[in-house]
Amino acid sequence: MTTIVQKFGGTSVGDVTKIKNVARRIKRDMDAGKKVVTVVSAMGKSTDSLVNLAKDITDSPDPREMDMLLTTGEQVTISLVVMALKELGVDAVSMTGWQAGIKTEAVHQDARITEIDAEKVQKHLNKNRAVLVAGFQGVGPSGEITTLGRGGSDTSAVALAAALGAETCSIYTDVTGVFTADPRYVTKARQLDSVSYDEMLELANLGAGVLHPRAVEFAKNYHVPLIVRSSTEDVEGTMVEEEATVEQNLIVRGLAFESEITKITIERLPNQFETMPTLFSMLAEAGISVDIIIQQMTSDNGINVSFTLDTQDLGKALDLLHNKKAELCYSSINHESTLAKVSIVGSGMVSNPGVASDMFKVLAEHEVAIKMVTTSEIKVSVVVPEVDMITAVEGLHAHFGLDAKEKAKIEAIKA
Amino acid sequence: MTTIVQKFGGTSVGDVTKIKNVARRIKRDMDAGKKVVTVVSAMGKSTDSLVNLAKDITDSPDPREMDMLLTTGEQVTISLVVMALKELGVDAVSMTGWQAGIKTEAVHQDARITEIDAEKVQKHLNKNRAVLVAGFQGVGPSGEITTLGRGGSDTSAVALAAALGAETCSIYTDVTGVFTADPRYVTKARQLDSVSYDEMLELANLGAGVLHPRAVEFAKNYHVPLIVRSSTEDVEGTMVEEEATVEQNLIVRGLAFESEITKITIERLPNQFETMPTLFSMLAEAGISVDIIIQQMTSDNGINVSFTLDTQDLGKALDLLHNKKAELCYSSINHESTLAKVSIVGSGMVSNPGVASDMFKVLAEHEVAIKMVTTSEIKVSVVVPEVDMITAVEGLHAHFGLDAKEKAKIEAIKA
């Protein structure tokens, strides 16, 4: 008998009706002869309510106590799903993170899983019980309750699947799968049958951010086949696995894009070994995430550095850089906001060196100015004016053969 | 440095403001040089909300899963109180039942504590941390989350006090202490400075049921001095201890009373050894609690049995007895409702044999008819017409010297 692991997020267990639906789905898989382990998140907005309680008490809640507080949310869900299963006549048992043997580092709010004692869950599976595991949580070396940080429940599910040698790990979510581009913006986006781990990592922003990169990395490292599928519609999802099936010889598998990007350029920094580490550790310590970085020499042996960041961090970054002008010894700063980043992603690029130039040609045809470029083995990203983002995406989506062939096909997938 | 244990119930931690008050009180005790362990219940009506969620899913929730569900309530409170303490600059740590080493039987919803691994709490006390423990919960032999049933948080506090060798265990509640009679009904009731464990057990109904009998029994068995005190008013409470200080040579320490009592009489049962065990195990199996029982021989060698029960169980009891008439072989049944039970309680009675006759004399003076009588070493109970209950209580309260001497005195206590 094969074991499957599945995960339902907060919206999929948001009320009693949805919890009963999850129970029915588990029963169906068990009736089909599977051993089923289900990881669930806290119900809908319940985590927000708990966070607000903490905020009413203090502006800087203790991380250990936040873990103690927030882990109650998943504990509520697991007990309710088991009650619903028992109501359907299915033997089932709920387990908190520590009961399920999910061991983590001694870190609060963003711990990594170090080990899973699979026997704790396995002994219930051996008795033909459905096992419900509280997602997002674990136990530290000294018995402290810890949480896994963002994407935590996905990671719980993938880690359990790896530890139990599960056939697949299904992530149930509010989209039907992974798309060639975010279908909220790109009308011709279509769902992929399969995608590789590496492509999925690069496409993390696609399809409404369905999978957290940490969970994908975990799945890749432990060779766990992931399935992204809908919790409401009963349709095939997208398989995330080692080598994605080659669909129609696609070189580019998908497009990612994000707006509200700002580019900052710092001119005439001293050409010294310490310049770059000093600058970027300063920004990191201030909690400012930097994405694309470009460094150029100036004619008089100084260096110019450009980098992109979320526009919402601009003020903080400018304040910091102005305050540190003496330390950094630059001559001037300028910035350009209302930019966007557009990326093409696909494992097939590695053996197709012409992809980047193809991309630039398409952008030129659509009169989209390129502000910055960065490339990796399976991705090319360009920074363009925000106003041209959708034009660029639609042009690239069509050029690389990603457009849905006919309207009817998408309807068939969704039906 | 002495250790104290204290417990705050659901109303005392019902909102963020009250939680901050509890934190300030803990800080004050720590500033006074105490090591403080605090047991808290779930916030206000949060347990009710969880119970309602379960009810929306099933009429008969699984006991194990109810424990999983309900224990989240106390876990929320402990984390919030610790956050409030840290906001006050006090080092503090929260512990669930299993983290605090509270081990119980393998029973759900009504487990008894079997052992406490005091080292788990002690190691934090040694680091001068305030320790917040989730009440009402423990962990079974195989790592299951269990709950202690009614009065659970009181029992958690008393058991921790015993395990830690605490100086006292304070139960903070919504009354200022234990009264000679329920002050909601008896205007001249006054607060006692001290009361013995046995008296407290008999007086369980007094002062709005401030302590659960199981917690009192636990305190008695482990010689833990209990203090019942107000969570809102800063006044002396009532000490519950081995030998209560003799106050004004009181023979009777307090009065308990309850209305809505029914007396059922079964006539002419067969005079056989099996009659009584058969009858009362029948009632017990049907979940009917019986209080006072009186058995009398009839002139023709049959037996008449009378017993009291809550009036709300009357219908169920009559149905049962009528259905079992053939088995029980009685001749007839009659019942009398709208009765009340009035009890006088005091350790001093043991050496004062005239107390019961004193009680009967007072009731006769007030023309209160006595329907049934039962006595124990430190208690005499009578069943009287419900309409005469308060007359009887006030007459006895005055006769046995319990009345507040002057109005001013009560005001002084409450001020």
Side-chain angles (χ1 to χ4, degrees):
Chain A
M1 249 166 89
T2 54
T3 299
I4 59 171
V5 174
Q6 50 193 15
K7 175 253 171 180
F8 292 89
T11 52
S12 306
V13 292
D15 58 37
V16 164
T17 307
K18 288 180 174 175
I19 282 174
K20 289 179 180 174
N21 282 338
V22 168
R24 272 190 289 270
R25 204 176 266 270
I26 294 168
K27 180 178 193 302
R28 199 181 56 185
D29 287 330
M30 291 182 76
D31 289 346
K34 306 280 188 187
K35 290 185 180 293
V36 185
V37 177
T38 308
V39 173
V40 289
S41 302
M43 290 173 70
K45 299 289 170 196
S46 64
T47 300
D48 293 348
S49 308
L50 293 171
V51 168
N52 286 336
L53 269 177
K55 276 189 188 158
D56 285 346
I57 286 179
T58 173
D59 293 330
S60 52
D62 184 75
R64 178 188 185 280
E65 301 303 327
M66 278 305 276
D67 284 354
M68 181 66 84
L69 179 66
L70 297 185
T71 50
T72 61
E74 287 76 21
Q75 190 171 330
V76 167
T77 315
I78 52 173
S79 65
L80 294 177
V81 178
V82 170
M83 287 180 201
L85 279 164
K86 296 219 162 190
E87 189 72 8
L88 297 175
V90 176
D91 193 11
V93 66
S94 66
M95 306 185 88
T96 62
W98 60 271
Q99 287 179 326
I102 299 177
K103 298 176 185 173
T104 74
E105 307 165 324
V107 167
H108 288 289
Q109 302 222 268
D110 195 25
R112 283 171 188 269
I113 295 174
T114 52
E115 188 192 342
I116 291 190
D117 179 0
E119 188 47 39
K120 305 226 176 194
V121 170
Q122 190 63 54
K123 74 177 181 199
H124 289 297
L125 291 178
N126 293 345
K127 290 177 182 164
N128 291 315
R129 290 182 184 138
V131 179
L132 269 290
V133 178
F136 172 69
Q137 60 182 250
V139 60
S142 59
E144 303 286 280
I145 294 174
T146 57
T147 61
L148 310 180
R150 276 170 51 88
S153 291
D154 288 354
T155 309
S156 303
V158 173
L160 279 167
L164 293 164
E167 186 181 44
T168 55
C169 178
S170 291
I171 308 292
Y172 284 92
T173 178
D174 50 1
V175 295
T176 55
V178 180
F179 282 74
T180 53
D182 190 332
R184 292 174 303 178
Y185 302 98
V186 181
T187 49
K188 290 185 174 167
R190 62 184 175 79
Q191 187 176 314
L192 292 162
D193 292 338
S194 77
V195 69
S196 73
Y197 296 121
D198 288 333
E199 288 169 336
M200 190 66 222
L201 282 168
E202 295 287 11
L203 287 168
N205 292 315
L206 276 192
V210 287
L211 280 179
H212 195 268
R214 190 181 283 182
V216 179
E217 269 175 45
F218 212 109
K220 180 186 174 187
N221 291 341
Y222 291 92
H223 312 287
V224 176
L226 280 175
I227 304 171
V228 177
R229 65 201 333 175
S230 166
S231 62
T232 52
E233 296 176 62
D234 199 10
V235 294
E236 293 283 314
T238 298
M239 179 73 82
V240 188
E241 57 201 329
E242 204 63 68
E243 283 305 320
T245 340
V246 179
E247 262 180 278
Q248 305 152 310
N249 297 314
L250 287 183
I251 293 167
V252 172
R253 185 89 56 179
L255 280 169
F257 50 95
E258 54 183 313
S259 56
E260 290 181 47
I261 303 288
T262 287
K263 171 187 171 188
I264 290 181
T265 300
I266 308 177
E267 296 193 338
R268 306 260 318 270
L269 285 151
N271 184 5
Q272 294 168 350
F273 290 122
E274 310 83 52
T275 300
M276 293 292 274
T278 305
L279 171 62
F280 289 100
S281 63
M282 233 174 231
L283 289 162
E285 278 161 22
I288 297 165
S289 286
V290 165
D291 185 14
I292 301 174
I293 299 169
I294 290 172
Q295 179 194 318
Q296 281 177 300
M297 298 291 289
T298 61
S299 54
D300 56 352
N301 203 32
I303 54 179
N304 291 349
V305 174
S306 297
F307 57 87
T308 60
L309 72 172
D310 279 358
T311 301
Q312 64 181 16
D313 285 339
L314 176 62
K316 193 158 63 163
L318 290 178
D319 283 352
L320 178 75
L321 293 170
H322 286 135
N323 289 337
K324 302 284 185 179
K325 182 167 185 182
E327 191 176 335
L328 291 168
C329 295
Y330 59 81
S331 66
S332 65
I333 290 182
N334 60 65
H335 69 270
E336 189 175 1
S337 293
T338 64
L339 297 176
K341 185 172 81 160
V342 175
S343 308
I344 56 174
V345 175
S347 306
M349 284 184 200
V350 185
S351 48
N352 283 272
V355 177
S357 68
D358 256 26
M359 184 184 195
F360 303 150
K361 203 180 295 173
V362 172
L363 293 172
E365 281 166 14
H366 289 83
E367 297 183 345
V368 175
I370 298 172
K371 303 283 182 173
M372 290 171 99
V373 176
T374 178
T375 61
S376 76
E377 290 205 338
I378 65 164
K379 184 174 77 165
V380 183
S381 299
V382 293
V383 174
V384 299
E386 200 170 77
V387 69
D388 295 328
M389 179 176 79
I390 294 298
T391 307
V393 168
E394 289 182 343
L396 293 165
H397 200 266
H399 177 81
F400 288 109
L402 300 175
D403 280 4
K405 288 295 173 290
E406 2 174 349
K407 187 79 180 152
K409 188 172 175 189
I410 277 208
E411 294 307 318
I413 291 169
K414 290 196 172 171
Chain B
M1 250 167 89
T2 54
T3 299
I4 59 171
V5 175
Q6 50 194 16
K7 175 252 169 181
F8 292 88
T11 52
S12 304
V13 292
D15 58 36
V16 165
T17 307
K18 288 180 174 177
I19 282 173
K20 289 179 180 174
N21 282 339
V22 168
R24 273 191 289 271
R25 203 176 268 269
I26 293 168
K27 181 178 192 305
R28 199 181 58 187
D29 287 331
M30 291 181 76
D31 289 346
K34 306 282 189 186
K35 290 184 180 295
V36 185
V37 177
T38 308
V39 174
V40 288
S41 303
M43 290 173 71
K45 299 287 169 196
S46 63
T47 300
D48 293 348
S49 308
L50 294 172
V51 168
N52 287 336
L53 271 177
K55 276 188 189 161
D56 285 346
I57 286 179
T58 173
D59 293 330
S60 52
D62 186 74
R64 177 188 186 280
E65 301 303 325
M66 278 305 276
D67 284 355
M68 181 66 84
L69 179 67
L70 297 184
T71 49
T72 62
E74 288 76 22
Q75 190 171 330
V76 167
T77 315
I78 53 174
S79 65
L80 294 176
V81 177
V82 169
M83 287 179 199
L85 279 164
K86 295 220 161 189
E87 188 72 8
L88 296 175
V90 177
D91 193 13
V93 65
S94 66
M95 307 185 86
T96 62
W98 61 270
Q99 288 179 325
I102 300 179
K103 298 175 185 175
T104 74
E105 308 165 323
V107 167
H108 287 288
Q109 303 222 266
D110 195 24
R112 281 169 189 272
I113 295 174
T114 52
E115 189 191 341
I116 290 189
D117 179 359
E119 188 46 41
K120 305 225 175 194
V121 170
Q122 190 63 54
K123 74 175 183 204
H124 289 296
L125 292 178
N126 293 346
K127 290 177 182 164
N128 291 316
R129 289 181 185 141
V131 179
L132 269 290
V133 178
F136 173 70
Q137 60 182 247
V139 59
S142 59
E144 304 286 280
I145 296 175
T146 56
T147 62
L148 310 178
R150 276 170 51 90
S153 290
D154 288 355
T155 309
S156 302
V158 173
L160 279 166
L164 293 162
E167 188 180 41
T168 55
C169 177
S170 291
I171 308 291
Y172 285 91
T173 177
D174 50 1
V175 295
T176 55
V178 180
F179 281 74
T180 52
D182 189 332
R184 292 175 300 178
Y185 301 99
V186 182
T187 50
K188 291 185 174 169
R190 64 185 174 77
Q191 188 177 313
L192 292 161
D193 292 339
S194 77
V195 68
S196 73
Y197 296 120
D198 289 334
E199 288 169 338
M200 190 66 222
L201 282 168
E202 296 285 12
L203 287 168
N205 294 314
L206 276 192
V210 287
L211 281 178
H212 194 267
R214 190 182 284 182
V216 179
E217 269 174 46
F218 212 108
K220 180 185 173 188
N221 292 341
Y222 291 92
H223 312 287
V224 176
L226 280 176
I227 304 171
V228 177
R229 65 200 332 174
S230 166
S231 62
T232 52
E233 297 175 62
D234 200 9
V235 294
E236 292 282 313
T238 298
M239 180 72 85
V240 187
E241 57 200 330
E242 202 64 66
E243 284 303 319
T245 340
V246 179
E247 262 179 278
Q248 305 151 307
N249 298 316
L250 286 182
I251 294 168
V252 173
R253 185 89 57 179
L255 281 169
F257 49 93
E258 54 183 314
S259 56
E260 291 181 47
I261 302 289
T262 288
K263 171 186 170 189
I264 290 181
T265 301
I266 308 176
E267 296 193 337
R268 305 264 313 273
L269 285 151
N271 183 5
Q272 295 166 350
F273 289 122
E274 310 83 56
T275 298
M276 294 292 273
T278 304
L279 171 62
F280 289 100
S281 62
M282 232 175 233
L283 290 162
E285 280 161 22
I288 298 165
S289 287
V290 165
D291 185 13
I292 303 174
I293 299 170
I294 290 173
Q295 179 195 318
Q296 279 177 301
M297 298 291 289
T298 61
S299 53
D300 56 354
N301 202 32
I303 54 177
N304 291 348
V305 174
S306 297
F307 57 87
T308 61
L309 73 172
D310 280 357
T311 301
Q312 65 182 14
D313 285 338
L314 176 61
K316 193 159 63 163
L318 291 180
D319 283 351
L320 177 75
L321 294 171
H322 285 135
N323 289 337
K324 302 284 184 177
K325 183 166 184 183
E327 192 177 335
L328 292 168
C329 293
Y330 59 82
S331 67
S332 65
I333 291 182
N334 61 66
H335 69 269
E336 189 174 1
S337 292
T338 63
L339 298 177
K341 184 171 83 159
V342 175
S343 308
I344 55 174
V345 176
S347 307
M349 285 184 198
V350 185
S351 48
N352 281 271
V355 176
S357 68
D358 256 26
M359 184 184 196
F360 304 151
K361 206 181 291 170
V362 172
L363 293 172
E365 281 167 15
H366 289 84
E367 298 185 343
V368 175
I370 298 172
K371 304 283 183 173
M372 291 170 98
V373 176
T374 178
T375 61
S376 77
E377 289 205 339
I378 66 164
K379 184 174 76 165
V380 183
S381 299
V382 293
V383 174
V384 299
E386 200 170 78
V387 69
D388 295 328
M389 180 177 79
I390 294 298
T391 308
V393 168
E394 290 183 342
L396 293 165
H397 200 268
H399 176 82
F400 288 109
L402 299 175
D403 280 3
K405 286 294 173 290
E406 359 170 352
K407 186 77 180 153
K409 187 170 176 188
I410 276 207
E411 293 309 318
I413 291 170
K414 290 195 173 172

